[in-house]
Amino acid sequence: MNYTTILREIYASYDFIIRNINKIKYGREINMKKSSSRLRFVVVLKGGVAASAFCLAIPAFAQADSPPPQDDSKDQLTDRQIQEIVVTGTLIRGVAPAGTNVIDVSQEAVQSTGVTTTAQLLQTIPQLGQFNSLQQPAGAFNNVTTNRPNLRNLPGFQTAGSSPTLVLLDGHRIVGMGIQSTSPDPDIIPPGVIERVEIVPDGGSAIYGSDAVAGVINFITRKKFDGIMVDSHYGFADDYHAFDANMTAGKSWDTGSTYISYNYSEHGAIYGRDRDYVKMYTKTIPGVPFPITSLRCTPGNVQLVPSGTVYALPYTSATATANTANQCDESDGAPIYPSENRHSVFAGFSQDLNEALKVDVRAWFTQRKVSADLGPIYDSQYIGPAFIGLTPSPYMAAYKVNPANPFEIHQVSYSYGGDDTEQQRLSLSTWGVTPTFTAELGKGWQLRGMGSYGESTTQNIVGQYNSTAVPRAIATGLLNPYDINSSSQLGLDVLSNFESFGRTRQQLINGRLILDGALFRLPGGDVKFAGGVEYNHEQLRSQKGSIVPGTENTGYEGLVYNGVTVIAPYANLPVVTLSRSTKSAFGEMVVPIFGVDNGFGGMRELTVSLSGRYDDYSDFGNTFNLKIGVTYRPVNWVKLRGSWGKSFVAPSLADRPETDVTSYNQVNGLSFLLPPASLVANGTYPAPQNSNVAVVLGSAPDIKPEKATTWSLGFDIEPPFVPGLNLSLTYWNIKFKNLINLPNFTNQVDFWTNFGSVITVNPTQAQIDSYLAQSDTIVGSGCSVAGTGPTGCYAILDARKRNFANVELDGLDAALSYRLDAGFGSFDLGFNANYELNRKQQPIAGAAFSDLLAANNSRFKFSTVLGTTISGLRAQVTWNHTGGYDLDPAVSSAGEQARVKSFNVINLFFKYDVPGEGIFKDLSFTLNIDNVVDQDPPRYIQQSITPSQDGYINGNTLGRFVQFGVSKRF
């Protein structure tokens, strides 16, 4: 069998290969129509690199399912379909990207996870930052409003508008989503229409342009479907449920096919009160001889300034008892996982117009609603005489500990309302269409035209208290902070009838032409080339701000009480519309120096690829990126590979200062926004005399593209003397600079250790006034006056997004799979791991790099699967592991903690294909038991700015989750 014949056999069996990927992967024989031979996978490897990517699955997801026999007449590809095969990471048909590892997740692997959303699927892949945790599109400041994947867990992706991981749908770019993000949300794709997922964890800007720094995730949907299939799942955990239902109907004919799929899914919410590992650990407060959780309770507490002595409310001057406290846990009402419901429609159509021209169209619509109760309103206010600059209260006299002291100062802490007083309501909808035409030009050349049009709308409403108006309401007597429930209704409305509002509409027009074919033939094979041009137009329409509900388009007339302006009037929220266009040209060449026809011992294959791309942006300029890849086989069963390239991430329209305006947020009473005690003790920062800080948010001007240099080396081994064994190891290296990043000011240790350049301690009045002048909004009180006294501003934390960080990281990806066939069935083992060797961050150019893996971050993650298939029964167990790490400095609360433990989750999956005909034909049942032992995530005793994250770190799950599923095809 010669080289051409082998390739022909490979191409002609592509759909069959995909549907039987694990049989081929483990060396089992398969029959192929139009072939007199019976090919084994080792023979496929002799055919060169053409099929290697198609047959590579993540070993951790390797399934040994034995699907029912297929009707070859339905699964057989036509000659025209053969020529359309393009693997992610290359533009050229029929080849794998030279030098690069392609991770393939099959449809069977998706089914075995039991996921009902694509975001949940991505949580099962160790190379992604979401691994072994819960991803949720709900966060403060309008930052986290979508589920965005993050290969290599690169920093800044949650806060920057663009993402360093490119998401494609059938090779197309798709419209972005979110309030302050412009990258796609994979959750628009129902898992039921996914044929497979191809992941290239390597730089790809030389092929695809912006965003492909850490790699590319390509969701490939069904090509065709015959008949009707319905399936549904219902699952439950403690205080939680999930349900989904799917129906797909389609028809295929000789020259084309069409199908439509509808999916509905929903799940409930999980709150801190539902999980005992979510808790606020106690902390020590100066002046109080016992540990405290939170003083912001009902009834509240009064703390004298500066002594720190605490008095539990209610009391009078005669009954006040020193160092008594009402305590509560603010995490009880905080959402760990918000509730969600989603409707999705996905449709596909393919048609051969004639022997030389084919059209293919995909269209979708998704609407998703996410909601969460955020708990009561928590607040702390300084109350004291106005003549020293504090907020007075007519109620203070009744609560003075020493009525004769005119200088007595109170820090009054309280809460108001129930678990649903503050709420978040997030709505996301999107639709799009991606047409493609393919024209055969003769002599193996092909022209592909690919287009995409999409729109998305994201609206996020988060309830909050009016921190600017509350001190004024207290001063006028509208609010009584000592007994908040006795306040007037008008005062309570000032406190609670306020929200953070955001609405963003995005549009994308994308068009691409690709010409590819063979230039000439070398002894090692055809030299192949692909080149083309691309046009991209983006538009973003944004409206956001803090408002009285319902006034975003009308403005607010203000509130005046007893001659005092409690809430200042304001106009309607401005609508900002921005757009830009990108023109690109690109090319790729693959040169087989040695191959089947001229290979020899020690040199069975040597293939080199070279690709480059030029992008010209209408707003920030142009960039050129290059990539080189090499694949070398000394023997047929050993493949060595390597790649080097440049990549970039363009600043998004959402990162522009016009859309992400500067706000000056004055905060007090949050100790984690102050420097750690260790940095105060060693003299890095002065000891705080109060807890008043200002957090400046928004985008700094003149943000530039992020840039990266990536390279990798690896090998794949499939030894013929151990049939069914596959081994893979990849070393990867990323140097990522000019990161667009909002520093993590909620991580006390990281922020105060690494981001001193954006911290102004004990600012002068001129520095405070300068920030106030730059800010479009000013929220809260307590950090507008210089000085170190009770009302002074201890620090200004300039947490605006900008290009100020550089990151260098490298690591290893390891994979193993093994299958053993027995007379009664088969056994399989899969292992997929990611181990980081180094992760260093330079907070600003010229500063020293800090080691982010020495402590405070996990470096080792893996997923391993052990399974068996016996007749129609499939059973497997999955072990997901996230390694523990040291804490530096150690955190202290009820006791000192110097280490975070590892997180291990065990999942079970069972599938039974019912034998028989009639109603039993194509009927199957599934059972998933995730987190079988109900393992809690590791303890972490440090408090955070997000109460739902208090008490644990290094992963999270739903708890023990049991899910039943049924599927029937007609």
Side-chain angles (χ1 to χ4, degrees):
M1 184 180 293
N2 61 30
Y3 178 83
T4 302
T5 303
I6 292 175
L7 281 179
R8 185 77 175 175
E9 294 285 353
I10 293 167
Y11 291 157
S13 61
Y14 175 66
D15 256 4
F16 197 75
I17 288 173
I18 292 302
R19 298 175 189 273
N20 296 271
I21 191 167
N22 297 287
K23 290 183 179 181
I24 301 169
K25 186 177 186 311
Y26 294 109
R28 295 174 65 185
E29 294 181 348
I30 60 173
N31 291 313
M32 298 185 182
K33 194 173 182 181
K34 296 185 179 180
S35 172
S36 59
S37 63
R38 296 170 63 86
L39 296 181
R40 293 180 179 270
F41 184 50
V42 67
V43 177
V44 174
L45 289 176
K46 291 180 181 179
V49 300
S52 60
F54 304 153
C55 301
L56 177 62
I58 299 179
F61 296 104
Q63 304 300 304
D65 291 342
S66 298
Q70 302 290 332
D71 181 351
D72 286 342
S73 64
K74 292 183 179 180
D75 292 328
Q76 181 64 43
L77 291 176
T78 66
D79 291 345
R80 290 284 312 285
Q81 291 172 318
I82 292 169
Q83 298 174 347
E84 295 177 17
I85 300 168
V86 180
V87 182
T88 307
T90 181
L91 302 172
I92 298 174
R93 293 166 292 145
V95 301
T100 298
N101 183 31
V102 179
I103 300 171
D104 190 292
V105 184
S106 68
Q107 188 180 64
E108 290 79 10
V110 174
Q111 293 174 353
S112 72
T113 62
V115 301
T116 59
T117 69
T118 306
Q120 293 171 352
L121 171 64
L122 298 178
Q123 290 163 193
T124 64
I125 301 174
Q127 286 76 15
L128 287 157
Q130 300 93 328
F131 174 73
N132 219 8
S133 190
L134 293 176
Q135 188 182 17
Q136 51 177 302
F141 308 119
N142 282 324
N143 287 327
V144 184
T145 51
T146 60
N147 289 321
R148 299 198 292 174
N150 186 18
L151 281 166
R152 304 302 183 202
N153 198 24
L154 291 176
F157 95 107
Q158 282 191 332
T159 53
S162 297
S163 170
T165 299
L166 178 62
V167 175
L168 301 175
L169 176 62
D170 292 319
H172 298 260
R173 285 185 178 267
I174 51 179
V175 67
M177 297 184 71
I179 301 297
Q180 292 185 186
S181 63
T182 59
S183 53
D185 185 343
D187 254 2
I188 68 172
I189 310 166
V193 303
I194 296 175
E195 182 177 279
R196 68 189 188 281
V197 184
E198 291 180 347
I199 301 173
V200 180
D202 196 6
S205 289
I207 298 291
Y208 298 106
S210 179
D211 302 348
V213 166
V216 181
I217 302 178
N218 189 11
F219 295 90
I220 299 173
T221 60
R222 294 177 182 268
K223 294 294 181 283
K224 58 183 179 179
F225 187 84
D226 260 317
I228 299 174
M229 184 173 71
V230 292
D231 63 271
S232 182
H233 302 85
Y234 179 81
F236 59 89
D238 289 343
D239 302 296
Y240 177 82
H241 81 280
F243 170 77
D244 78 293
N246 310 269
M247 184 176 72
T248 303
K251 177 66 176 176
S252 296
W253 54 92
D254 289 342
T255 59
S257 63
T258 187
Y259 72 87
I260 186 169
S261 181
Y262 169 75
N263 169 266
Y264 172 77
S265 68
E266 67 173 36
H267 63 75
I270 301 177
Y271 293 90
R273 59 181 175 271
D274 301 326
R275 298 293 183 265
D276 56 9
Y277 59 82
V278 182
K279 63 178 65 177
M280 293 180 68
Y281 283 93
T282 58
K283 58 183 179 295
T284 301
I285 296 178
V288 182
F290 52 85
I292 297 292
T293 50
S294 173
L295 298 176
R296 304 194 301 178
C297 309
T298 300
N301 298 275
V302 172
Q303 189 173 14
L304 294 189
V305 179
S307 69
T309 307
V310 174
Y311 297 85
L313 288 164
Y315 69 84
T316 66
S317 58
T319 63
T321 304
N323 289 323
T324 58
N326 298 311
Q327 301 195 46
C328 54
D329 190 336
E330 296 183 24
S331 69
D332 285 346
I336 304 173
Y337 198 53
S339 65
E340 180 178 349
N341 68 76
R342 185 192 65 197
H343 297 269
S344 297
V345 179
F346 197 96
F349 172 79
S350 299
Q351 178 64 52
D352 292 343
L353 301 180
N354 53 45
E355 288 297 318
L357 187 62
K358 175 184 177 181
V359 295
D360 187 278
V361 182
R362 297 290 183 269
W364 71 88
F365 169 81
T366 295
Q367 182 179 69
R368 187 165 87 240
K369 293 185 177 180
V370 182
S371 61
D373 296 336
L374 303 181
I377 293 173
Y378 298 100
D379 191 24
S380 183
Q381 296 286 336
Y382 286 101
I383 309 297
F387 60 81
I388 61 173
L390 292 177
T391 299
S393 170
Y395 300 101
M396 182 180 183
Y399 296 94
K400 275 195 172 184
V401 176
N402 181 4
N405 181 7
F407 295 97
E408 187 168 294
I409 299 173
H410 294 173
Q411 184 178 6
V412 185
S413 301
Y414 63 91
S415 67
Y416 167 70
D419 291 330
D420 61 350
T421 300
E422 291 190 313
Q423 300 178 338
Q424 179 167 20
R425 299 294 181 259
L426 173 63
S427 174
L428 306 101
S429 64
T430 183
W431 68 273
V433 58
T434 57
T436 300
F437 78 84
T438 304
E440 304 300 331
L441 305 180
K443 297 185 178 180
W445 285 86
Q446 184 187 87
L447 178 66
R448 298 190 299 277
M450 309 173 70
S452 178
Y453 178 82
E455 295 184 6
S456 73
T457 301
T458 306
Q459 179 171 293
N460 189 36
I461 298 175
V462 183
Q464 62 183 72
Y465 78 96
N466 194 335
S467 57
T468 301
V470 164
R472 300 170 186 168
I474 290 174
T476 62
L478 283 174
L479 274 178
N480 179 4
Y482 299 90
D483 183 8
I484 195 67
N485 290 308
S486 69
S487 303
S488 69
Q489 186 58 51
L490 182 59
L492 294 175
D493 288 343
V494 171
L495 176 70
S496 60
N497 196 26
F498 205 58
E499 67 185 23
S500 170
F501 174 88
R503 181 188 292 131
T504 298
R505 181 173 179 266
Q506 300 186 47
Q507 291 178 287
L508 172 70
I509 301 172
N510 175 260
R512 183 164 41 142
L513 285 173
I514 302 172
L515 177 69
D516 86 302
L519 293 174
F520 52 88
R521 185 169 183 82
L522 294 176
D526 289 334
V527 175
K528 295 188 175 183
F529 170 81
V533 294
E534 185 171 2
Y535 175 79
N536 201 62
H537 180 79
E538 305 168 72
Q539 186 177 82
L540 180 144
R541 184 180 186 271
S542 177
Q543 183 184 30
K544 58 181 183 287
S546 295
I547 59 169
V548 173
T551 63
E552 65 270 13
N553 296 318
T554 62
Y556 181 67
E557 62 185 4
L559 174 63
V560 178
Y561 182 78
N562 286 343
V564 176
T565 300
V566 179
I567 304 178
Y570 55 81
N572 59 295
L573 293 180
V575 177
V576 177
T577 302
L578 299 173
S579 64
R580 73 175 176 200
S581 59
T582 311
K583 300 174 183 177
S584 309
F586 47 84
E588 179 184 10
M589 182 179 293
V590 174
V591 182
I593 301 173
F594 291 96
V596 171
D597 293 339
N598 68 338
F600 52 88
M603 184 62 73
R604 291 300 180 187
E605 178 193 345
L606 179 61
T607 302
V608 178
S609 72
L610 176 66
S611 55
R613 180 179 173 112
Y614 174 83
D615 296 281
D616 185 17
Y617 283 77
S618 61
D619 53 353
F620 73 83
N622 57 68
T623 179
F624 178 77
N625 293 274
L626 182 71
K627 185 172 183 178
I628 301 170
V630 178
T631 297
Y632 165 59
R633 291 183 189 272
V635 292
N636 290 327
W637 51 275
V638 176
K639 178 171 73 174
L640 306 178
R641 46 184 165 73
S643 68
W644 175 94
K646 297 281 189 178
S647 293
F648 77 104
V649 180
S652 80
L653 295 177
D655 290 326
R656 295 266 288 269
E658 298 94 328
T659 55
D660 193 12
V661 298
T662 297
S663 65
Y664 188 85
N665 302 272
Q666 301 172 111
V667 186
N668 60 56
L670 299 180
S671 60
F672 56 83
L673 294 181
L674 301 174
S678 59
L679 297 182
V680 173
N682 66 20
T684 303
Y685 297 102
Q689 301 301 309
N690 57 53
S691 60
N692 300 329
V693 300
V695 181
V696 184
L697 298 174
S699 286
D702 300 323
I703 292 180
K704 299 177 175 59
E706 303 171 320
K707 296 184 179 181
T709 300
T710 63
W711 62 278
S712 65
L713 293 172
F715 64 80
D716 303 298
I717 300 176
E718 300 185 25
F721 45 85
V722 186
L725 177 64
N726 302 272
L727 301 170
S728 175
L729 183 68
T730 302
Y731 169 82
W732 51 268
N733 185 293
I734 301 174
K735 291 186 177 179
F736 197 19
K737 64 181 182 179
N738 297 333
L739 268 70
I740 303 170
N741 197 5
L742 187 155
N744 187 6
F745 61 91
T746 65
N747 186 322
Q748 185 184 40
V749 174
D750 179 47
F751 182 73
W752 287 88
T753 301
N754 299 315
F755 295 92
S757 61
V758 297
I759 301 173
T760 304
V761 176
N762 293 333
T764 65
Q765 191 62 52
Q767 290 172 319
I768 294 173
D769 292 342
S770 175
Y771 274 105
L772 291 172
Q774 297 175 49
S775 302
D776 292 83
T777 59
I778 300 169
V779 181
S781 61
C783 210
S784 59
V785 180
T788 58
T791 63
C793 188
Y794 174 72
I796 299 175
L797 316 181
D798 189 348
R800 288 180 293 180
K801 285 183 285 188
R802 68 190 76 202
N803 302 99
F804 64 87
N806 300 318
V807 176
E808 297 180 0
L809 60 160
D810 64 343
L812 299 172
D813 286 341
L816 175 150
S817 65
Y818 178 69
R819 176 180 174 116
L820 176 66
D821 288 313
F824 56 87
S826 63
F827 298 91
D828 56 87
L829 171 68
F831 177 77
N832 180 29
N834 175 44
Y835 184 83
E836 285 199 46
L837 298 170
N838 299 282
R839 179 180 286 257
K840 300 183 295 181
Q841 180 164 311
Q842 184 183 41
I844 192 169
F849 277 88
S850 57
D851 186 350
L852 301 185
L853 290 180
N856 308 316
N857 286 285
S858 177
R859 68 165 74 224
F860 184 41
K861 302 175 183 179
F862 70 74
S863 181
T864 188
V865 175
L866 177 63
T868 182
T869 300
I870 302 174
S871 187
L873 177 65
R874 168 68 182 176
Q876 72 178 42
V877 57
T878 303
W879 173 19
N880 293 329
H881 169 84
T882 305
Y885 51 86
D886 293 331
L887 293 171
D888 184 20
V891 293
S892 297
S893 186
E896 187 165 282
Q897 180 182 0
R899 183 168 178 80
V900 169
K901 293 183 178 180
S902 299
F903 188 39
N904 295 282
V905 177
I906 305 297
N907 302 327
L908 297 178
F909 169 73
F910 303 92
K911 180 181 179 183
Y912 181 64
D913 294 322
V914 179
E917 296 296 325
I919 193 173
F920 297 107
K921 184 179 181 181
D922 295 328
L923 175 66
S924 64
F925 296 93
T926 61
L927 170 65
N928 290 82
I929 308 176
D930 295 342
N931 198 356
V932 175
V933 299
D934 201 14
Q935 179 66 51
D936 290 343
R939 185 182 74 146
Y940 185 60
I941 61 178
Q942 188 77 6
Q943 293 182 14
S944 70
I945 196 172
T946 306
S948 61
Q949 298 174 1
D950 285 343
Y952 68 98
I953 204 169
N954 202 30
N956 196 11
T957 73
L958 299 172
R960 184 187 293 113
F961 178 66
V962 180
Q963 179 173 268
F964 299 93
V966 59
S967 175
K968 179 71 172 77
R969 184 165 179 170
F970 301 92

